[in-house]
Amino acid sequence: PVPPSSMPTGACGGGDGGGGAAAADTSGGALPAGCDCWGVAAAAAASAAGRDPSPQRSAPHSEKPPRTRRWYERRRTTRYRGMAMGHPMGAPLPTTLPVADTTDIIYVDAGYTGTIPTEFGQLTALTELSMVGNSLTGTLPTELGNLVSLDDAFNIRLSPLSGTVPTELGKLRNLEGVMCLDTCSLTGVIPSQIGQLIGFSQIIAFSENNLNGPVPTEIGQLKLEMRLYFYSNKLSSSLPTEIGQLSRMTADLALNHNSFTGSLPTQLGQMASMSNSIQISNGRLTGSVPTEIGQLTNMESFLVLTRQSLSGTIPTELGNLVKYESKLYLSHNSLSRAIPTQVGHMDAMRSELRLEHNVLSSSLPSQLGLLTDFESELYLFSNQLCDDLPTQVQAISLNMDSFLATKGNSFGTVCGWIDDARFPDLGTTDTTEIAYNNAYIEGQIPTEMGLFTKVTSLELAANILTGSIPTQLGQLPLRSSFQVWANMLSSKLPTELGRYTLLTSFFSPFSNELIGPLPTELGNLGVLEEEMFVQENCLSGTIPTELGKLGRLIAGFVAYGNWFTGAIPTEIGDLGSAPNPDFDGMVVGFDYDLDFDQNHLSSAIPTELGRLSFLSEGLNLHDNRLSQAVPTELGQLTSITKTFLLYSNMLCSDMPTEVEALSTSVRAAFRVKTGNEIGSTCPTPSPTRLITFAPTESEKSPSTDDTLSADDTSGHTSSQSMDTIEQALIIALASMFVLVLALLVRSDLYRCGGDSDGSDGTLHNKLLNEGEGEDQGEDGG
């Protein structure tokens, strides 16, 4: 600094000068009272403290030429070649130009007014022009484009300028550091010539103006390393895909508070060097969050996409941002469906995950509980989240400031359940049973019933339900009951019902109109102990051998009144043969009924049925097409007390004495011989012979007895006419019988809906009353 003794008296003009009281410098001179124009007092204090007393400025670029002159203004003081010249606040910008070789003009917070003179364009040696925080008006002179030596800063911000950004600024190709025209009330478009600043690397700020139109595609030509500020304007149109070419940028892409439309460019994923601050909020963008956002693996904070109209799902690729620590804002959009579980991979997160005000649904992923270092601001409110709040998330929330999740969500209700007036008590996640037997419910079973993950008992029996059994019911963790009997359900039994591996009792879809085969997957119900009841349907096909795996079934396998065909599986003899842990590991044995009657079962009765020695209620196989001899092994079923019914089959040979002996203990009905051929020799199966209708010898040529004389012609004609009438009557009666039979069959098919493979089906009623009061023996009942 110039010694105070050489300063003009009163150079500070009575202002506070930033120093306050008078102070002495190292040469012993004194400053005017209340003035420290050039910081002499501050320099002396810094020197006494051992600090560098020189003004602190950023290090110059190594390529920058030596600065021969400096024009510096701060806090209403102007420095030029060591002279201190005071001026009052609000003075007009000086019209006298510095010398031509001045390299820096810095008017910072100087309070200058007026317009920028066009003559500034003549200072071609300038490397820095900073006029920040003044009250300059008018337009930016186009002549400023002549300052081609600028390499450090072109900084004219925080002034109420007007007009447009001159296209001539594109000629400042040596500019490397700062171009700031923010907060200047500029209008018009961002000139495409901005892309000519190919040496530019640091800061370009046009924010907080009234600029409109699109972001020029030429922006992708810049070699910018950080800080592109276009926020708070009226920019519109779609974001250029060329923005992805700014691959050198490491921080601060701010495009928020504009009117951009279209979708977020997928090319954002090419800015893989970004570590901090991508802000594209408060606009009109639509479409989804691009999955390419997951390529920004160096991001640590400030990914802000709030208050747009983004839709679709949160990309799972977000979980790739494993370095991310804070401020992930996706709130106030229309993002939907589930929060991806991969968010739990972002375990470096410490604070501010903002997902509120979307339409996110489904349950909250428990993987959020992996964010164990999260400290504050996890905002999930005002969505459509449901089910229970995971315990893992509850655990991390205990150590968190500001955890907002429950308001505006549906935690505690089953995700996907739509309120159904027929089932008024359903909806909450703590529902453990669906109990609506005999409730006069009509319509179809809602598929959403499969969403109740805690339901162990399903009871919908004795209603007027129609349609199919939803496959989604296979998702229920049933343990005690599956009852849909006595409805009008049709179509097939879903194979998904084979997932009831914990069901212990009451698999009961009987008395419906179900068609198709019995699923082999039902063999997976290995702990079922009571009631495999599928009777009185229109089920067809063979009885699956896999049902022999029901080793703990002890009470009832009832399948009468269907259209089952084929042989009775030998594996049925294994029912109830598995150790039962409920009885200390003992084998309890199959009890109650085995009812396969009124089907179309054929072949021999398997001898393995004799192993069902605990069978107590009844063995009922009548009204089928079973053949061959009655197995002597059935005589081992000595526990049967109620019914033993094998009538109306094709059984033959002698009745085994062991089986005959059972008639003394069977109280209600023992019937074997009726409708069978007991006592006759069983026929040996032989190939079916083709029936032919070849004419006999007498038919080939008429005999003499067939020759009629002329006198017998009239009598023969009369007899032949009578024969023709009789034949016509017989044909008519036969046709009527066939028609009636067809109508009966058709009505039966209509009621059952037919078989899945096109074969007929019928809904049978049990033909024999097997209850109390029935006479015993072959003639009983």
Side-chain angles (χ1 to χ4, degrees):
V2 178
S5 57
S6 63
M7 290 184 180
T9 304
C12 285
D16 62 7
D25 74 339
T26 55
S27 61
L31 291 175
C35 180
D36 187 6
C37 292
W38 191 223
V40 176
S47 178
R51 299 194 304 270
D52 182 5
S54 60
Q56 299 299 308
R57 292 178 49 81
S58 60
H61 294 278
S62 58
E63 302 83 5
K64 187 177 298 185
R67 295 179 178 175
T68 57
R69 307 283 184 183
R70 181 180 299 274
W71 193 274
Y72 192 91
E73 175 70 28
R74 186 179 298 275
R75 291 192 180 90
R76 295 173 294 157
T77 62
T78 302
R79 175 192 177 197
Y80 175 59
R81 296 192 66 191
M83 292 182 60
M85 298 177 293
H87 63 81
M89 178 68 75
L93 193 67
T95 57
T96 303
L97 290 178
V99 294
D101 60 349
T102 297
T103 59
D104 299 79
I105 293 180
I106 303 175
Y107 297 151
V108 177
D109 297 326
Y112 279 130
T113 61
T115 61
I116 301 173
T118 59
E119 289 81 4
F120 269 31
Q122 300 174 20
L123 302 175
T124 56
L126 281 180
T127 61
E128 179 177 357
L129 175 62
S130 294
M131 296 187 290
V132 179
N134 293 286
S135 299
L136 304 176
T137 57
T139 61
L140 288 170
T142 59
E143 289 80 3
L144 295 181
N146 298 328
L147 305 179
V148 293
S149 296
L150 285 178
D151 64 355
D152 193 0
F154 180 85
N155 194 350
I156 306 175
R157 54 190 300 261
L158 300 173
S159 282
L161 298 171
S162 59
T164 62
V165 179
T167 60
E168 288 77 5
L169 296 186
K171 295 188 295 184
L172 306 180
R173 298 182 181 180
N174 291 315
L175 190 61
E176 298 177 3
V178 176
M179 176 176 279
C180 292
L181 294 174
D182 55 295
T183 322
C184 289
S185 301
L186 298 174
T187 58
V189 300
I190 298 174
S192 60
Q193 289 79 0
I194 205 75
Q196 298 173 11
L197 304 179
I198 55 176
F200 203 79
S201 63
Q202 296 301 313
I203 304 172
I204 179 167
F206 289 171
S207 51
E208 296 187 276
N209 284 291
N210 293 309
L211 300 174
N212 55 45
V215 174
T217 58
E218 289 79 3
I219 200 77
Q221 300 173 15
L222 298 176
K223 294 181 174 61
L224 198 62
E225 295 178 2
M226 62 177 64
R227 298 177 187 168
L228 176 62
Y229 294 155
F230 286 173
Y231 63 87
S232 296
N233 279 288
K234 298 178 181 178
L235 300 174
S236 58
S237 190
S238 58
L239 287 170
T241 59
E242 289 78 4
I243 204 166
Q245 297 174 17
L246 301 176
S247 56
R248 300 184 182 188
M249 284 192 67
T250 60
D252 298 323
L253 173 64
L255 305 174
N256 43 305
H257 289 278
N258 280 289
S259 299
F260 295 119
T261 57
S263 59
L264 283 167
T266 59
Q267 289 78 3
L268 282 174
Q270 298 173 12
M271 304 178 69
S273 298
M274 290 290 290
S275 63
N276 178 61
S277 191
I278 296 178
Q279 300 190 51
I280 312 177
S281 62
N282 297 79
R284 301 176 183 175
L285 292 175
T286 56
S288 60
V289 178
T291 58
E292 290 77 3
I293 212 80
Q295 298 172 15
L296 306 178
T297 53
N298 288 308
M299 283 292 291
E300 297 178 0
S301 64
F302 264 117
L303 176 58
V304 182
L305 303 176
T306 60
R307 296 185 185 275
Q308 300 281 359
S309 296
L310 301 175
S311 58
T313 60
I314 298 174
T316 58
E317 291 78 3
L318 206 60
N320 297 337
L321 309 186
V322 294
K323 296 181 181 179
Y324 210 92
E325 295 182 359
S326 67
K327 299 179 176 63
L328 175 58
Y329 294 170
L330 299 176
S331 59
H332 293 85
N333 281 290
S334 297
L335 300 173
S336 59
R337 303 184 69 177
I339 297 172
T341 59
Q342 289 80 357
V343 173
H345 299 166
M346 304 171 68
D347 54 4
M349 283 281 287
R350 301 291 185 272
S351 63
E352 297 185 52
L353 174 58
R354 303 283 297 270
L355 303 177
E356 75 271 16
H357 286 286
N358 280 288
V359 287
L360 298 170
S361 58
S362 191
S363 56
L364 198 62
S366 60
Q367 288 80 356
L368 282 179
L370 299 175
L371 308 181
T372 53
D373 293 327
F374 211 93
E375 298 174 350
S376 65
E377 294 190 36
L378 176 56
Y379 290 175
L380 306 171
F381 61 89
S382 295
N383 279 286
Q384 297 176 11
L385 299 171
C386 45
D387 279 348
D388 293 326
L389 195 64
T391 55
Q392 298 90 334
V393 178
Q394 294 182 46
I396 66 169
S397 69
L398 298 177
N399 300 317
M400 192 185 305
D401 292 334
S402 192
F403 172 68
L404 302 178
T406 57
K407 182 179 179 181
N409 285 304
S410 301
F411 289 117
T413 63
V414 173
C415 289
W417 175 252
I418 300 173
D419 288 339
D420 191 326
R422 299 176 301 166
F423 308 100
D425 300 326
L426 295 187
T428 60
T429 55
D430 58 358
T431 300
T432 58
E433 65 175 7
I434 298 175
Y436 291 95
N437 284 353
N438 297 286
Y440 304 100
I441 298 173
E442 301 181 3
Q444 298 189 352
I445 300 173
T447 59
E448 292 81 5
M449 273 192 177
L451 300 172
F452 290 87
T453 57
K454 297 179 182 178
V455 166
T456 60
S457 174
L458 176 68
E459 299 178 359
L460 298 174
N463 286 292
I464 319 172
L465 295 170
T466 57
S468 61
I469 297 175
T471 59
Q472 291 83 352
L473 294 187
Q475 301 171 10
L476 298 176
L478 297 187
R479 291 176 177 269
S480 61
S481 181
F482 174 76
Q483 298 189 46
V484 293
W485 50 269
N487 281 288
M488 300 172 64
L489 299 169
S490 58
S491 78
K492 297 180 180 180
L493 272 173
T495 59
E496 289 77 4
L497 302 186
R499 298 174 182 171
Y500 295 157
T501 56
L502 300 177
L503 186 66
T504 59
S505 59
F506 304 117
F507 183 83
S508 303
F510 66 91
S511 296
N512 280 285
E513 299 175 6
L514 300 170
I515 62 173
L518 203 59
T520 59
E521 289 79 2
L522 295 182
N524 298 329
L525 277 57
V527 299
L528 185 68
E529 297 179 357
E530 298 180 62
E531 292 193 12
M532 169 66 75
F533 283 3
V534 296
Q535 71 271 24
E536 293 181 339
N537 280 292
C538 303
L539 299 171
S540 59
T542 59
I543 296 174
T545 59
E546 289 79 0
L547 295 183
K549 298 177 183 179
L550 305 181
R552 287 169 60 177
L553 186 64
I554 58 176
F557 187 174
V558 181
Y560 69 80
N562 283 288
W563 279 76
F564 290 122
T565 56
I568 297 173
T570 59
E571 291 80 359
I572 295 298
D574 296 329
L575 295 177
S577 61
N580 195 319
D582 294 337
F583 295 89
D584 297 326
M586 296 175 57
V587 175
V588 179
F590 182 74
D591 195 354
Y592 201 68
D593 272 357
L594 179 64
D595 290 357
F596 287 174
D597 51 290
Q598 301 172 72
N599 282 284
H600 295 278
L601 299 171
S602 58
S603 297
I605 298 173
T607 60
E608 288 79 2
L609 296 188
R611 298 204 295 254
L612 303 177
S613 56
F614 292 92
L615 192 61
S616 61
E617 291 287 318
L619 174 65
N620 301 312
L621 305 178
H622 61 85
D623 287 286
N624 280 289
R625 299 171 183 172
L626 300 171
S627 59
Q628 302 300 312
V630 177
T632 57
E633 288 81 357
L634 296 187
Q636 300 172 18
L637 305 180
T638 56
S639 298
I640 295 179
T641 59
K642 186 176 180 183
T643 57
F644 188 93
L645 302 173
L646 307 182
Y647 67 88
S648 294
N649 279 288
M650 301 166 62
L651 301 172
C652 52
S653 191
D654 294 331
M655 173 81 80
T657 56
E658 296 89 344
V659 176
E660 187 75 41
L662 298 178
S663 62
T664 59
S665 58
V666 175
R667 298 191 306 269
F670 180 94
R671 181 179 290 188
V672 177
K673 296 180 181 179
T674 304
N676 285 302
E677 299 179 9
I678 301 298
S680 65
T681 302
C682 292
T684 302
S686 60
T688 303
R689 186 177 61 184
L690 181 64
I691 300 176
T692 60
F693 295 93
T696 62
E697 290 298 325
S698 61
E699 291 173 330
K700 292 180 181 178
S701 60
S703 65
T704 55
D705 295 337
D706 296 329
T707 305
L708 297 177
S709 64
D711 295 336
D712 297 331
T713 302
S714 61
H716 177 74
T717 301
S718 175
S719 174
Q720 190 176 29
S721 298
M722 292 298 295
D723 291 341
T724 302
I725 293 172
E726 290 176 358
Q727 291 175 2
L729 288 173
I730 292 172
I731 292 172
L733 289 172
S735 298
M736 290 177 65
F737 175 77
V738 170
L739 179 61
V740 171
L741 181 62
L743 289 173
L744 289 173
V745 171
R746 181 171 179 82
S747 65
D748 211 24
L749 286 175
Y750 177 77
R751 185 157 51 89
C752 263
D755 200 354
S756 59
D757 59 359
S759 63
D760 58 351
T762 183
L763 182 62
H764 298 277
N765 292 313
K766 202 163 180 66
L767 300 180
L768 177 66
N769 180 9
E770 298 170 359
E772 296 296 330
E774 192 173 6
D775 293 332
Q776 180 181 357
E778 282 294 330
D779 298 325

